[in-house]
Amino acid sequence: TIQRVIAEGSSASIHRPMMRMNWVNTSFWTMYGFVARNDPIIYGPNAIGLVFGLIQGVLCCIYPGQPDLDVDPAPLLSQDDSE
C-alpha cells in the first residue's frame, strides 16, 4: 500500500481506522515487550510494525485521499419527481 500511495499520489487506499488500531496495538505490544518482559521477540516485530504504521500516517498527511473522479455524481443529484 505504501508503494501504491506514492505512485498514485493519494492515500485513498489506506484504511484509516485500521491504521489507527495498528498504532495502538503495536504501541502496546512494543512497550510490553520492552518494559515488562525485555524480550526482543515481542518488541522487535511490533516496533517494526509501528514504524510502518507511522509511515502510513505520514503518507496520509502528505497525500490526502481524494475522491474517485471517475464517478459521475449527476444521476445521484438530479431531482426527478415525475414518478
Side-chain angles (χ1 to χ4, degrees), residues 69-80:
L69 300 177
D70 295 338
V71 177
D72 182 19
L76 300 174
L77 298 175
S78 67
Q79 296 292 328
D80 187 16

Side-chain angles (χ1 to χ4, degrees), residues 1-8 10-15 56 59:
T1 302
I2 293 173
Q3 183 179 6
R4 180 177 177 183
V5 169
I6 293 171
E8 293 178 358
S10 171
S11 65
S13 63
I14 296 177
H15 189 248
Q56 284 182 336
L59 288 175

Side-chain angles (χ1 to χ4, degrees), residues 2 14 19-31 42-60:
I2 293 173
I14 296 177
M19 177 188 65
R20 289 183 197 108
M21 290 311 299
N22 175 33
W23 292 349
V24 172
N25 184 39
T26 56
S27 295
F28 284 137
W29 277 108
T30 300
M31 290 175 46
I42 296 174
Y43 69 75
N46 286 290
I48 292 169
L50 179 59
V51 168
F52 281 119
L54 293 173
I55 289 171
Q56 284 182 336
V58 169
L59 288 175
C60 284

